[in-house]
Each structure stands twice: as C-alpha cells, then as structure tokens.
Amino acid sequence: MTIEQWNDIPGTFHPACTPDFLPLPQLRELQLQRLQATVRRAYANVPLMRKRMDEKKVKPEDIRTLKDIERIPFTVKADLRDTYPFGMFASPMQEIVRLHASSGTTGKPIVVAYAREDIEVWTNVMLRSFAACGLHQGDIVQNAYGYGLFTGGLGAHYGAEALGATVIPISGGNTDRQIMILKDFGVTAICCTPSYFIHLIERAGEMGVKMKELPLRVGVFGAEPWSESMRQYIKENSNVEPYDIYGLSEIIGPGVGIECSAHQGLHIFEDHFLPEIIDPETGAVLPDEAEGELVLTTLSKKAMPMLRYRTRDITTLARGQCGCGRTICRFLRVGRRSDDMFIIRGINVFPSQVEHALLRVEGTLPHYQIVLTRDKGLDKMEVQVEVTPEVFADTVGAMEALQKKIAQALNQTINLNVAVRLVEPHTIQRSEGKAKRVIDQRKM
Amino acid sequence: MKLQQLSVFLENKPGSLKKSLAVLADAKINISTLALAETKDYGILRLVIKDWEKAKSALEQGGFTVRQTEVLAVEVEDRPGGLATVLAPVEAAGVNVEYMYAYSTGTKAKAVLIFRFSDLDKAIAALKGAGMNVLENLQVFGP
C-alpha cells in the first residue's frame, strides 16, 4: 500500500483522521475538557455571553458534565449582527490573523475571526473532510468555491493543501475556463456548489467536452441544500462521486461536517463541534432520533467561541458506528430550515432583504412573492410584485423604469441578479397568518 | 377640452384582457375607444369611456389597478396626411407625444385621435392656434 491509496482502501485512513475513530468514552472526555475551556474563555472575554450566563445564574464552573451544556443560553445570528463588527471576539485584535464575513440581511455582514490556532483547526477539519471523500496526495483539486470574504474558498484551499493534494485556486465563475482547466490539468476532484457542477456538466456537453472521459472522480459539494435527484443526475452524467459538505461561517466555515463513502448522513467533527438537536419552538433539547434544529457549540475555537449557536437547519442526529468505521455522529440532511432563509447559488437570502429593497423603492411594502427555479442547473430568483395604484404609471416607459429600479435595489441588497415581474393585484395567493413568501420550484 | 382616460394594468397572459372587459360588460358600460400597449410581461389597457367614473369603480371593485389620465381628442379629416396636420403645430410648440391611438367613425369622414402629450395645456394652445378641432367630451361621446 502506498501513501496515495490511504483513503481509498477500506480500513486505511489518513493519520489526521484519528479523532474520527476515537472510542466514545475518550471522545466524550475530550469534548468535556474542551467545552469547559471554551465556556471559561467565552465568559471571561465576551461581554454578551457573560451577561447572558449571569442572567441565567450559571458560571463556567457549573459545567461539570456534557449535559450541563443545556444550562448555557443560545446564541443566534442576530447576536452577531447586534455586536457588529467585533463584539463577539474573545481575542485581542493582535492575536487575530484572519477576518471573514458572511452576507448580512440588512447590509451589515456578519464578521468572524480566526486566531492562528483556529486556522489550524479549520485546516484540520477540511483535511479530514477531503480524506473522508477518498482524496489523498496526488489528487488534483479544482477549488471553484469563491475566494474572498466568503469562507468557502480559503477553507477548502488549506485543507486540500494540507492533505498533500495539488490545488487549483480557480475560485467561482468563468464556466468555459473551468471546463478547459478540468480537461487540460487532469483534475480529479472539484469543490463547488452542486448546482454549479450541474451547470458545468451541461456547458461541457455544449462545448463537446465528454465529462465521462475526464479523470474527474470526486465532487465536494456544499454551500446550498441539494437532493437525491441532483446526486443521481451528477452520477449519471459524470464519473464523479458526490459528497455533501456542511459548514457555516459562524462556526468555522466549511468542514463542520462531511459525508463519507457510506453516504449515511454527514459526520460532524465532534472533537471540535458539539451538536445538539432542539425543538425550534421551545428550545428544549430533543433526543437524537428526533427531528429538530441543529445547535452547535465550538469546542476548540479561540478567537470567536460560539456557545449553542442555533443553525436554523432542521435535521436528525444519528449515533452509532457508521459503515465507514467512524465513531463521530452523523446528521441526516433534510434541507429544511426553521426560519424563512433560503439559499440560492450559495448565497443566504432572507425575504426581509427583499422587503427592505421594495420599501426603499416604493415607500410602502407591496404584496410580493419570491419564486425560485432551476434552469440548466443554475438557480434563478424572480420577485413578483403586485402593482398598486400608487406605483402604476400610465406609460410603458415609466413601468419599465420602476421594474429596473426594483431590480437594482434587489441586486444591491442581495448581491445577485434578481428578475422582477410586475403582476396584477390579488394574483399572489394570500394565506392565513404568515404570508408564504417563497415558492421554491427547484427540483432538489 | 381634456378627456379622462382610464388605464388598467394587465398581466400578459391568456384571459386577462377578457376579464377586465367582462367587468365593464357586467356593469353595462360601453367603451368609446381603447388601445393596448404591451410588453413581454404585462400590458396597459387604455380606455375612453363616457361614464368613466362608474367604469373606474367597477374595475377597482373587480380587483384591477386603475389610473385616471387626462388626454386630448382631436378630430381630423379622414384622409391621407390628416394626422400630420395635428403633429406639425405640436412639434413646433416643443411638445412630445407620449402615446396616441385613433378611431374612425366611418360615417362622418372624420377620424378622432386620442393623444397623451407631455404638456397638455401647451398642446391645446398650439392645436387651437392652428385651427384644429379639439373635442369636448360630449362631441366624442355623442348626445
């Protein structure tokens, strides 16, 4: 056996993956030690977390078992927005080596910080993610996640390099060039959103590039929910084995969880991230088998520890050893959320962003609806706006100007090309109580 | 001088024109003339109706977005060059035609042109100065 084959032969794994296979008593002991240290650090350095814990009369020394985590208050996305930009940092700026940011709902992004040790943890979990996908030294990885403030690009880059693979840092976009490089460089693995890979398959077909004749064999797909039918499409139209990767900036970026060769859910790197499932309504902790909201606590992050962060992703945890031999738990992706956020082309969008843009243009909020479709593997977003007497002008020119103004306001808010369609009043369905703002017609 | 025209916002899809006209038919409202401007997604239906107030409330109750706009009706000889005689004085006055449509009565050898101008008052002055027949409501609709 050569080093190159480590992750391809059952029972042989990269040494960095050792924590994936820890006996559970040791894993739990490690988690408790790290949880206690993280809570102490957050309490000592983050005023918001100290205040929340004081209000609940819980001190760091009260965390004696893993179950005691239930005494710690939740952290939500709004906390990061309210303390923008640096209020959640537990390290002084001179110890922070990297800042990333995710798109914000009202213009302000969410800022996340990494100390040198955090970058090492991130690199480690991404290395283990790639190893779980059967990648190793000698693989050529085309990294089509965006490089920049978005965490995807650099996270994948460091992990693939640490594994010893060859990285092509192509970033997102420029489809024809992506296909040329896939072909000419003998790429064996690609990282991008699943919908973008489907787009690549289709474009390659148009360009006369036979995807099935390329050496490309692994796809690490994330940053948006996707489905079994997309997986089937990818498998039928390429030789790529698709792996679902999960992460969020607030926790670390990509590399919180990954699918393994058994494809029985996504493993969470439990030595660094402690998962819980809660009832999204009451906040009560649910048993593992129950479906509920995934809550994550970072166990080793220094610059920005997160205690009980509510991901809003609805899923189920699965314990018990996986077919791949890993002991760390898995979660089963169900692709639903407990809030109204949706993900389009890797960008998180809240209907409230659409409302802000419409309010800015029209002064009052018209009835509107967001329709998501998928065309040739690319997600499309259309905002349908009911025309009210206040905005209805008598000339086509004036109506086109209105349409353009709305589209521009939406593009500025969401950073995405959004189609605007003006519709007659009362054509958008009214529902009892909370309006159904998003019609998702994408076939997952 | 000024005529009230109703504009109705319609989606560009089968049945939407018929639906709006059915509202008027049900209210027993007759249309003197109409025009439809269309884009890929939607259209604007413009209507000249004697009893426009009744028509407006009927359409609004029918769920349509309606706007009332002032337009001018100009009567010309129904012969080659008739329209050009109207446009010359308006152009000279520096007034822009935003849109227009026409109808011919067929019996009187006259045609009526409905105009939306960028400046209605300036247009009226220019047309009157050139001796054009700018119609009052009653003349358009008859007794």
Side-chain angles (χ1 to χ4, degrees):
Chain A
M1 185 186 74
T2 65
I3 285 175
E4 290 77 26
Q5 292 169 315
W6 251 342
N7 306 304
D8 278 353
I9 297 172
T12 62
F13 299 97
H14 193 285
C17 295
T18 308
D20 299 358
F21 301 91
L22 279 182
L24 287 181
Q26 276 142 304
L27 178 61
R28 299 289 170 248
E29 190 55 41
L30 177 66
Q31 286 178 314
L32 179 61
Q33 279 176 31
R34 288 183 169 175
L35 175 66
Q36 288 167 332
T38 300
V39 172
R40 276 198 302 272
R41 182 167 183 84
Y43 186 85
N45 298 296
V46 183
L48 178 80
M49 290 191 177
R50 181 164 57 245
K51 182 169 152 274
R52 291 259 172 89
M53 284 174 61
D54 284 345
E55 279 164 8
K56 284 192 92 177
K57 299 199 175 11
V58 50
K59 298 277 173 224
E61 46 281 16
D62 295 333
I63 308 302
R64 294 188 191 90
T65 67
L66 282 175
K67 193 161 167 52
D68 291 331
I69 195 173
E70 293 175 26
R71 302 183 59 186
I72 295 172
F74 292 115
T75 307
V76 294
K77 201 180 199 90
D79 295 332
L80 281 85
R81 225 175 287 136
D82 295 346
T83 56
Y84 173 90
F86 304 145
M88 298 297 276
F89 293 8
S91 297
M93 197 55 90
Q94 62 264 34
E95 287 175 20
I96 287 167
V97 299
R98 178 86 59 76
L99 295 175
H100 278 284
S102 72
S103 64
T105 50
T106 55
K108 292 287 188 198
I110 279 164
V111 182
V112 293
Y114 299 77
R116 197 168 297 284
E117 297 92 322
D118 299 328
I119 299 281
E120 279 165 21
V121 169
W122 196 14
T123 303
N124 174 265
V125 292
M126 280 307 296
L127 188 169
R128 287 157 66 185
S129 297
F130 287 129
C133 303
L135 294 179
H136 42 60
Q137 199 175 4
D139 269 306
I140 301 173
V141 180
Q142 182 154 329
N143 185 18
Y145 284 123
Y147 283 70
L149 278 181
F150 171 59
T151 50
L154 281 168
H157 184 105
Y158 281 121
E161 270 189 6
L163 184 67
T166 307
V167 184
I168 304 167
I170 191 165
S171 196
N174 206 340
T175 304
D176 288 7
R177 201 160 75 121
Q178 298 268 3
I179 291 162
M180 181 191 85
I181 287 175
L182 271 182
K183 184 167 136 281
D184 295 349
F185 290 18
V187 171
T188 57
I190 185 161
C191 308
C192 61
T193 61
S195 61
Y196 188 61
F197 187 65
I198 289 172
H199 182 60
L200 285 174
I201 290 176
E202 281 163 356
R203 181 69 193 130
E206 289 166 10
M207 289 167 69
V209 173
K210 294 193 174 57
M211 205 54 119
K212 286 208 158 193
E213 290 175 8
L214 300 182
L216 188 63
R217 63 170 223 283
V218 169
V220 184
F221 301 131
E224 66 182 13
W226 53 303
S227 64
E228 206 39 49
S229 63
M230 287 170 79
R231 183 188 295 277
Q232 284 313 318
Y233 181 91
I234 290 169
K235 288 176 82 133
E236 280 161 24
N237 293 281
S238 70
N239 295 326
V240 165
E241 182 66 31
Y243 292 87
D244 193 359
I245 188 163
Y246 176 83
L248 55 170
S249 315
E250 295 86 336
I251 298 301
I252 202 155
V256 173
I258 187 78
E259 245 179 353
C260 63
S261 55
H263 297 293
Q264 292 169 345
L266 286 82
H267 286 284
I268 297 177
F269 295 113
E270 275 192 284
D271 50 326
H272 293 300
F273 315 109
L274 184 67
E276 295 170 89
I277 293 288
I278 63 159
D279 179 329
E281 301 296 325
T282 64
V285 177
L286 299 175
D288 289 343
E289 312 73 42
E291 187 182 284
E293 181 179 335
L294 179 66
V295 169
L296 292 168
T297 297
T298 62
L299 294 178
S300 45
K301 262 174 79 187
K302 194 179 165 205
M304 205 166 118
M306 277 289 132
L307 301 181
R308 304 193 86 198
Y309 184 75
R310 293 186 59 164
T311 66
R312 297 286 173 181
D313 284 314
I314 302 290
T315 184
T316 305
L317 284 187
R319 306 272 180 194
Q321 202 173 18
C322 176
C324 72
R326 283 176 174 76
T327 51
I328 51 174
C329 78
R330 285 159 286 145
F331 72 96
L332 311 171
R333 284 289 266 156
V334 290
R336 214 155 55 73
R337 291 183 53 86
S338 66
D339 61 13
D340 53 3
M341 191 193 88
F342 56 92
I343 301 176
I344 177 162
R345 287 188 234 160
I347 297 176
N348 295 355
V349 181
F350 287 86
S352 58
Q353 289 175 281
V354 173
E355 285 173 20
H356 279 286
L358 289 173
L359 264 170
R360 219 166 69 207
V361 175
E362 298 208 6
T364 57
L365 185 66
H367 273 284
Y368 74 94
Q369 180 171 282
I370 298 160
V371 180
L372 305 176
T373 50
R374 183 167 281 144
D375 181 26
K376 292 181 180 157
L378 259 196
D379 287 351
K380 294 208 163 135
M381 174 173 165
E382 180 181 81
V383 176
Q384 300 180 342
V385 184
E386 284 188 3
V387 174
T388 57
E390 290 75 33
V391 296
F392 177 39
D394 181 43
T395 62
V396 171
M399 293 307 280
E400 280 174 346
L402 172 74
Q403 212 172 352
K404 205 172 154 196
K405 235 166 105 182
I406 295 173
Q408 277 170 349
L410 285 167
N411 291 351
Q412 279 166 12
T413 317
I414 303 169
N415 260 322
L416 196 74
N417 272 328
V418 177
V420 174
R421 187 184 177 89
L422 300 175
V423 298
E424 283 171 30
H426 313 291
T427 49
I428 294 174
Q429 206 181 345
R430 310 292 197 264
S431 52
E432 301 286 317
K434 203 169 155 56
K436 181 155 177 53
R437 294 302 195 188
V438 185
I439 310 290
D440 198 339
Q441 296 174 339
R442 295 177 289 187
K443 288 184 184 68
M444 287 297 171
Chain B
M1 289 284 136
K2 293 170 189 168
L3 229 56
Q4 303 302 325
Q5 172 201 262
L6 298 182
S7 300
V8 183
F9 180 83
L10 296 178
E11 273 177 64
N12 197 348
K13 66 181 183 193
S16 49
L17 179 60
K18 185 171 162 251
K19 202 177 118 212
S20 61
L21 296 177
V23 168
L24 296 175
D26 289 347
K28 302 203 178 350
I29 293 166
N30 191 38
I31 300 164
S32 292
T33 183
L34 83 174
L36 187 59
E38 101 288 346
T39 70
K40 187 167 66 62
D41 295 337
Y42 57 86
I44 301 172
L45 174 65
R46 292 162 185 145
L47 300 158
V48 177
I49 291 170
K50 184 178 182 184
D51 203 350
W52 63 268
E53 282 148 311
K54 193 175 156 198
K56 185 165 185 273
S57 68
L59 285 164
E60 281 170 351
Q61 274 167 25
F64 289 95
T65 294
V66 188
R67 190 185 168 95
Q68 168 195 349
T69 321
E70 290 182 326
V71 291
L72 290 190
V74 186
E75 191 181 55
V76 293
E77 296 293 325
D78 191 357
R79 59 163 174 81
L83 172 58
T85 60
V86 180
L87 295 179
V90 172
E91 184 194 345
V95 175
N96 188 39
V97 178
E98 301 209 319
Y99 56 79
M100 69 150 299
Y101 47 103
Y103 77 103
S104 172
T105 55
T107 50
K108 293 195 291 179
K110 299 266 185 191
V112 175
L113 309 171
I114 309 285
F115 283 99
R116 166 96 173 129
F117 290 112
S118 57
D119 187 329
L120 239 53
D121 295 320
K122 237 167 137 178
I124 291 171
L127 289 166
K128 294 234 136 190
M132 303 301 303
N133 186 17
V134 184
L135 300 181
E136 299 290 339
N137 282 359
L138 275 180
Q139 291 170 280
V140 179
F141 301 117

